[in-house]
Amino acid sequence: MHVLCCSSRRARARPLDSTLVACDIDMDPASNGIQEPFDLIRLSLSERVFVKLRGDRELTGVLHAYDGHMNLILSDVEETIMIVDQIEGAPEGHTAVNIAKRKMDMLFVRGDGVILVSPPSRT
């Protein structure tokens, strides 16, 4: 199985096994500075990021610091919490989803709860 990664730069696919495929993309490191995953986080310092956490929580805020455990320091943070409630008297599986939001000036996020960090879009 071969898959070609879509990119404006030259790319080549190499098979790993019947289900996994890795892609080698020839990138000029000087053009965007991304060579490993934490480089993307480093380039997002002092910019607004989206963070998805365990427990149906999401954050948006300005990234000030991070470490190898994905502990994050964010400022100007808005937290969104999805609360799923069972409706009394309703059949099994019928639930109501409520959304709670709160704002914080500064927040330390422990890395073991981080599912993903999305940097700002770069156009």
Side-chain angles (χ1 to χ4, degrees):
M1 177 179 168
H2 285 77
V3 174
L4 184 65
C5 293
C6 298
S7 175
S8 59
R9 294 173 171 80
R10 292 179 312 228
R12 64 183 180 277
R14 62 183 164 93
L16 291 176
D17 61 25
S18 61
T19 57
L20 297 175
V21 174
C23 183
D24 293 329
I25 299 176
D26 296 328
M27 289 184 165
D28 177 12
S31 68
N32 60 13
I34 300 172
Q35 294 180 331
E36 58 185 60
F38 277 115
D39 289 343
L40 189 60
I41 304 299
R42 180 182 46 82
L43 292 173
S44 299
L45 285 170
S46 300
E47 296 194 40
R48 186 163 283 282
V49 295
F50 171 80
V51 180
K52 186 165 179 65
L53 302 171
R54 293 182 184 175
D56 295 323
R57 294 174 182 259
E58 298 174 350
L59 304 170
T60 57
V62 178
L63 179 64
H64 290 280
Y66 69 95
D67 65 13
H69 299 286
M70 285 305 297
N71 294 320
L72 308 172
I73 303 290
L74 301 170
S75 69
D76 190 23
V77 182
E78 181 176 78
E79 179 181 27
T80 303
I81 307 167
M82 310 282 190
I83 304 165
V84 180
D85 293 321
Q86 179 68 33
I87 301 172
E88 265 189 58
E92 181 90 16
H94 284 65
T95 58
V97 177
N98 295 312
I99 296 175
K101 291 189 177 204
R102 67 178 177 165
K103 294 187 179 207
M104 293 157 277
D105 292 332
M106 189 68 74
L107 184 66
F108 172 86
V109 180
R110 186 171 166 168
D112 67 349
V114 174
I115 294 172
L116 72 84
V117 176
S118 177
S121 62
R122 303 186 194 290
T123 54

